[in-house]
Amino acid sequence: MGGSRVQLNKAHKSRFSSKSSRNLHKTSLKEKHTIGKSDRNVFKGAKAARNQRSKMLRDQKRAAVLKEKRASSASSPPRVIVLFALSASVNLNSLAEGLLKMLSPEATGALAATVASSEYKLRTTVLKAPHGDLLSCMELAKVADLIAFVASANSACEEGSPNYVDSFGSQCLSVFRSLGLPSTVVLIRDLPTDLKRRNETKKMCSSCLANEFTEDCKFYPADTQDDLHKFLWLFKEQRLTVPHWRNQRPYLMSQKVDMVADEWNLGKCTILLTGYLHARSLCVNQLVHISGAGDFQLQKIELLKDPHPLNSRKQPDAMDSDDVPDVEVVRSLHPDPLTQEPLVVENVPDPLAGEQTWPTEAEMMEAATTQKQKQIRKRKIPQGTSEYQAAWIVDDTDEDVSDIDSEANDGMVLDETDMIPGPDSPNNSDIDDGQVSLNLRDDEETDNDSVMMEGESLTREQIEDDIKRIKEQHAEDEEFPDEVDTPLDIPARRRFAKYRGLKSFRTSSWDPKESLPPEYARIFAFDNFPRTQKLVLSKALKMGEENRDDCVTAGQYIRLHIKDVPNSVSSKLCALAMTRPIIASGLLQHESKMSVLHFSIKKHDNYEAPIKAKEELIFHVGFRQFIARPIFSTDNMNSDKSKMERFLHAGRFSIASIYAPVSFPPLPLVVLKSTEGGAPPAVAATGSLRSIDPDRIMLKKIILTGYPQRVSKLKATVRYMFHHPEDVRWFKPVEVWTKCGRRGRIKEPVGTHGAMKCVFNSVVQQHDTVCMSLYKRAYPKWPEHRFPILDT
């Protein structure tokens, strides 16, 4: 009861001190000194980790720059400069001659494409891209270290503005961007001699072309020797960049192509490609791909003495001509039969392994013929004998007998419709929907398609009619996608026997291993493709870093002996070498084996013709070329299934799936389509390699439509979706829906003409349309021939 006289003690000041200061009396004097003076130069925690990471990145960049400088020494291959004219009015011959004379002023006679300049301390290969030849320009862009786009200041004017880039130049620019542009410059020719007008014209040309190139692209005048001297001096010091996919594989750009006949193997020969090795080391046990010709094994690799050394005093005469004589062989590398990569393209299926879950077309035709013969041939059997019992009766004579009684026949006839699997049966996805019989002919390839593929026997009117028909199908597919009409003369349960219904496209299960086509027995699949790719790339990188006896390093002048090349292919390669370089690239492990490749693809802006699924297209994937017949599908990120598209529509990306040799991404894609009349192929689409997965499910969707005849609240009588009551009972388990958003089910058939009663979850409008969605799995088409050089 003290009131205000209660004792109030002063609060302790330790509540404002730190934990370390409160416990300071528990430590020794030496530790007190350490705690009092903290080491401020030592970083702790997250800040120290950030500084350590920054230091590591700086060291890596410094090491990369030093490695690049060492690689650009005398042991590196010559830098490849490709001169590309943006318009047909540009003269590349004088520009290339001026550059070569600047690099080799002491040379006399014809100038070689590859020169070594002791003044600039630079080895360079100068190539001219032929204007109008798309394939040659693409091949040159794949091996170019620098693309010099040449523009003329005297280009023709349209509507008062100069046109520095013509249509072919614009097309090639888009293709180069898809392949991946290396370092680029723009050389401006035909500038005025007056200094003021010269600067104004150069500034106007630069501003007009700035949108076509990257920000770091430089513009140089290229009329006088001083201009070329300035360009070459800056080019010598320039740090060149190339696309990432080119650094993953070794490649050789041929300077000389020869062929040697094989005495032991008629029809085959050995082709000799001579040139500098780029990018990475090449092993003699690797497989190589000749662009457009195929994959082959190496017979040997000859390491030759460099005909263009940086020190020109060693061989002054070797640079005077393109026809390099037989140079001295320094060393030869021969493959080891035990470790050489085998040329395995297709898997050999085992007919007893149960890989094929559906009969082949030949087996179905044979079965149909046998069944027809059984129907024609009549045997006399006891009345009341079943067909199974009759099969065991042995005929002693071959004489014809009379017909069987009608009563006995009635008991032996089999209803073939009862043997057809339903829409939800697992074995119904390989029956053809384009014929009455159950053969395996592809429903996409109609008689008109097969006639178009032959092409030579068609008249001009027939070709025009086929093109018109395809365009009409393309327009109809865009307006009414997936809608088909039920035929009147074929039961729907037989016409659409390969299709099944799905409760949900996104969540319903579909076994990727069921009812596979025969082509799946010929391909290869990976258990874990990302892991395999990581192991293969690390193995290739390790091989390039080691000094192995069976490898040649990048930058060396070599001769590849490629064996077992067909004589027809060799002769065509020798002819093509006159206009463009032949590229031979080394293949990584497994890259010769066939599998199912998926590409992210988009239709080219300048290509207006429709691109139908399963038609032949030429695929340029990195250094490789092959022919494929793709199918197109949507790119669904939230589902394990994708919807097939009948045409490649413009303005959006799709997935193109093909049978092709294995390639490890990332790789660019350029799709060409052949044209009639022997014209060069046109650029149809561009894209990139997405994945390799034979288990990717692509479903072809069709929609059957019907129309309400009588409507009573939630019930409706629908007609014209089917024409037989048996078809209504067959597809009764499949859900129906309307275009106004109602969902329902089939209750029962009505009458004998295919009408049916349906029950919906809401009131149905009289003008609504009733639909049924059916699906079947789609596969790409196996190409008849794989490489385009066989058709040239």
Side-chain angles (χ1 to χ4, degrees), residues 69-83:
K69 287 184 178 180
R70 294 189 186 102
S72 61
S73 60
S75 61
S76 62
R79 292 187 171 188
V80 180
I81 302 177
V82 174
L83 303 178

Side-chain angles (χ1 to χ4, degrees), residues 147-275:
I147 299 182
F149 296 97
V150 187
S152 175
N154 296 332
S155 299
C157 296
E158 294 181 359
E159 299 179 359
S161 61
N163 184 23
Y164 297 107
V165 184
D166 58 6
S167 59
F168 179 77
S170 178
Q171 183 186 32
C172 287
L173 276 175
S174 63
V175 173
F176 294 166
R177 295 189 193 100
S178 301
L179 291 174
L181 277 175
S183 298
T184 57
V185 296
V186 178
L187 303 180
I188 305 175
R189 302 272 290 175
D190 304 328
L191 291 172
T193 56
D194 183 54
L195 183 59
K196 184 178 180 180
R197 291 183 54 204
R198 178 186 179 90
N199 293 333
E200 291 177 354
T201 307
K202 179 178 177 295
K203 186 180 296 185
M204 181 178 64
C205 182
S206 302
S207 62
C208 292
L209 295 175
N211 295 331
E212 300 288 344
F213 305 99
T214 57
E215 295 180 358
D216 57 347
C217 182
K218 305 297 183 181
F219 293 81
Y220 300 101
D223 286 326
T224 62
Q225 289 187 354
D226 294 338
D227 297 336
L228 297 180
H229 173 73
K230 181 180 178 181
F231 162 69
L232 289 175
W233 190 258
L234 294 175
F235 169 66
K236 173 186 175 297
E237 301 295 334
Q238 185 178 1
R239 182 182 178 184
L240 301 181
T241 59
V242 295
H244 175 66
W245 62 269
R246 278 172 49 178
N247 291 327
Q248 291 185 336
R249 297 164 181 82
Y251 64 94
L252 179 141
M253 182 185 63
S254 65
Q255 294 184 355
K256 187 178 181 182
V257 180
D258 297 318
M259 56 182 295
V260 178
D262 192 350
E263 299 178 356
W264 304 100
N265 194 355
L266 298 178
K268 299 290 183 69
C269 67
T270 301
I271 189 168
L272 279 61
L273 300 180
T274 306

Side-chain angles (χ1 to χ4, degrees), residues 129-143:
H131 195 82
D133 190 353
L134 178 62
L135 293 177
S136 298
C137 293
M138 287 176 58
E139 294 300 303
L140 289 173
K142 293 177 184 179
V143 298

Side-chain angles (χ1 to χ4, degrees), residues 490-535:
I490 304 175
R493 62 187 183 280
R494 185 173 297 178
R495 171 64 177 84
F496 306 115
K498 297 172 64 176
Y499 292 84
R500 68 178 67 176
L502 290 178
K503 182 67 175 178
S504 172
F505 184 85
R506 186 177 64 86
T507 60
S508 297
S509 62
W510 193 297
D511 187 5
K513 303 294 185 183
E514 72 165 303
S515 303
L516 297 177
E519 290 80 9
Y520 264 55
R522 303 163 63 181
I523 66 173
F524 294 85
F526 297 93
D527 291 336
N528 190 336
F529 180 74
R531 182 180 61 186
T532 304
Q533 179 181 359
K534 183 178 180 180
L535 292 175

Side-chain angles (χ1 to χ4, degrees), residues 189-449:
R189 302 272 290 175
D190 304 328
L191 291 172
T193 56
D194 183 54
L195 183 59
K196 184 178 180 180
R197 291 183 54 204
R198 178 186 179 90
N199 293 333
E200 291 177 354
T201 307
K202 179 178 177 295
K203 186 180 296 185
M204 181 178 64
C205 182
S206 302
S207 62
C208 292
L209 295 175
N211 295 331
E212 300 288 344
F213 305 99
T214 57
E215 295 180 358
D216 57 347
C217 182
K218 305 297 183 181
F219 293 81
Y220 300 101
D223 286 326
T224 62
Q225 289 187 354
D226 294 338
D227 297 336
L228 297 180
H229 173 73
K230 181 180 178 181
F231 162 69
L232 289 175
W233 190 258
L234 294 175
F235 169 66
K236 173 186 175 297
E237 301 295 334
Q238 185 178 1
R239 182 182 178 184
L240 301 181
T241 59
V242 295
H244 175 66
W245 62 269
R246 278 172 49 178
N247 291 327
Q248 291 185 336
R249 297 164 181 82
Y251 64 94
L252 179 141
M253 182 185 63
S254 65
Q255 294 184 355
K256 187 178 181 182
V257 180
D258 297 318
M259 56 182 295
V260 178
D262 192 350
E263 299 178 356
W264 304 100
N265 194 355
L266 298 178
K268 299 290 183 69
C269 67
T270 301
I271 189 168
L272 279 61
L273 300 180
T274 306
Y276 289 94
L277 184 64
H278 293 259
R280 284 194 176 183
S281 300
L282 176 65
C283 181
V284 71
N285 295 318
Q286 279 185 267
L287 299 176
V288 295
H289 174 83
I290 302 178
S291 184
D295 306 333
F296 303 97
Q297 286 182 324
L298 288 174
Q299 186 178 13
K300 64 177 179 178
I301 298 178
E302 291 180 343
L303 180 60
L304 307 178
K305 191 173 182 180
D306 197 342
H308 305 286
L310 195 57
N311 188 0
S312 60
R313 292 178 296 178
K314 294 182 179 180
Q315 292 181 352
D317 299 332
M319 297 183 294
D320 295 341
S321 175
D322 263 333
D323 299 330
V324 179
D326 292 335
V327 294
E328 179 183 352
V329 179
V330 178
R331 185 162 57 101
S332 296
L333 305 179
H334 296 271
D336 186 1
L338 299 178
T339 59
Q340 187 176 18
E341 185 80 14
L343 185 58
V344 179
V345 179
E346 298 179 9
N347 190 13
V348 179
D350 185 4
L352 302 179
E355 295 177 342
Q356 176 58 41
T357 59
W358 192 262
T360 61
E361 185 176 355
E363 293 172 346
M364 293 302 298
M365 293 177 64
E366 182 180 357
T369 305
T370 305
Q371 184 68 20
K372 188 175 182 181
Q373 291 177 356
K374 286 183 179 180
Q375 292 176 359
I376 296 175
R377 183 183 179 186
K378 297 179 176 59
R379 294 186 302 166
K380 186 176 182 179
I381 58 177
Q383 185 175 359
T385 305
S386 66
E387 186 177 3
Y388 176 78
Q389 296 170 339
W392 292 90
I393 300 177
V394 181
D395 293 334
D396 295 332
T397 59
D398 295 331
E399 58 185 5
D400 295 333
V401 294
S402 59
D403 294 342
I404 306 172
D405 295 338
S406 60
E407 296 177 359
N409 280 336
D410 292 340
M412 295 175 57
V413 172
L414 294 178
D415 188 6
E416 294 182 356
T417 59
D418 295 336
M419 302 175 60
I420 302 174
D424 293 322
S425 175
N427 293 328
N428 65 350
S429 60
D430 282 323
I431 309 173
D432 183 35
D433 58 306
Q435 298 183 11
V436 179
S437 61
L438 297 179
N439 56 15
L440 277 177
R441 182 177 179 182
D442 187 43
D443 58 344
E444 290 294 336
E445 185 176 354
T446 60
D447 294 338
N448 293 332
D449 294 334

